[in-house]
């Protein structure tokens, strides 16, 4: 049996059946890989520790909350639907370093990223990530 996990794609009917926290689980990992790839490309000669410090700026709940607030107006109805599903999901965990509203917005953001990745909307994911990089370069999170 041959399988290529990078080519697995969910259709939009199936993706609506997934728990939004499952989408956030995937979205968290995908976003982390995007951030790390971007950082090693931009800062090839800095230490891993400094890369990690820079990555935290992107992935912490406060930053993700600020990012999604700026992205919200650019989202399609479907993207907004998945963001809201994630934001409103009850996770059962209490955030350590963020208030509950930031944590929920961050979960919604990760749900959106998971949705885009699992449905194979790579161009849209790339567009949004480019927007995030622009926000970072302007110091907006």
């Amino acid at each position: 049996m041959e399988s290529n996990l990078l080519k697995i794609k969910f259709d939009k009917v199936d993706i609506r059946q997934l728990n939004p926290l499952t989408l956030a689980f995937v979205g968290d990992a995908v976003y982390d890989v995007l951030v790390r790839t971007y950082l090693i490309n931009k800062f090839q000669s800095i230490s891993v520790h400094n890369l990690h410090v820079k990555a935290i700026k992107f992935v912490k709940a406060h930053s993700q909350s600020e990012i999604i607030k700026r992205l919200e107006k650019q989202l399609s109805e479907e993207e907004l639907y998945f963001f809201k599903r994630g934001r409103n999901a009850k996770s059962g965990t209490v955030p350590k370093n963020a208030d509950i509203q930031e944590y929920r917005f961050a979960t919604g953001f990760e749900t959106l990223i998971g949705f885009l990745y699992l449905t194979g909307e790579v161009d849209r994911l790339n567009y949004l990530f480019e927007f995030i990089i622009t926000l970072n370069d302007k110091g907006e999170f």
Side-chain angles (χ1 to χ4, degrees):
M1 180 177 122
E2 186 178 332
S3 93
N4 185 344
L5 294 177
L6 294 176
K7 290 193 177 197
I8 291 176
K9 183 177 166 185
F10 288 74
D11 67 37
K12 292 187 179 180
V13 173
D14 291 337
I15 209 89
R16 286 179 179 266
Q17 303 303 313
L18 291 176
N19 182 316
L21 296 177
T22 301
L23 294 173
F25 171 75
V26 171
D28 175 58
V30 169
Y31 183 63
D32 193 48
V33 168
L34 289 173
V35 167
R36 288 172 183 233
T37 303
Y38 164 71
L39 290 174
I40 63 168
N41 184 55
K42 185 173 181 177
F43 304 103
Q44 295 177 8
S45 61
I46 68 172
S47 71
V48 172
H49 172 74
N50 288 335
L51 287 169
H52 176 71
V53 170
K54 290 182 179 298
I56 289 170
K57 184 177 177 189
F58 280 86
V59 301
K60 65 184 178 181
H62 174 75
S63 295
Q64 290 180 354
S65 176
E66 291 301 311
I67 290 166
I68 194 64
K69 287 174 186 173
R70 287 173 175 78
L71 279 176
E72 222 173 332
K73 293 177 184 164
Q74 296 187 39
L75 300 180
S76 69
E77 268 187 50
E78 185 175 48
E79 291 167 344
L80 198 55
Y81 167 80
F82 281 97
F83 159 68
K84 288 180 179 179
R85 279 190 67 206
R87 181 195 64 195
N88 296 334
K90 305 291 186 251
S91 69
T93 61
V94 178
K96 290 189 290 187
N97 300 316
D99 69 35
I100 194 68
Q101 183 179 4
E102 285 179 339
Y103 185 73
R104 289 196 173 175
F105 271 71
T107 302
F109 171 77
E110 291 172 347
T111 301
L112 171 63
I113 299 298
F115 159 72
L116 292 171
Y117 175 77
L118 289 176
T119 55
E121 295 188 39
V122 178
D123 289 339
R124 182 62 173 161
L125 191 56
N126 190 57
Y127 172 82
L128 294 178
F129 192 69
E130 290 289 334
F131 183 81
I132 292 165
I133 291 168
T134 302
L135 290 175
N136 177 62
D137 290 347
K138 291 179 179 177
E140 295 191 24
F141 71 84

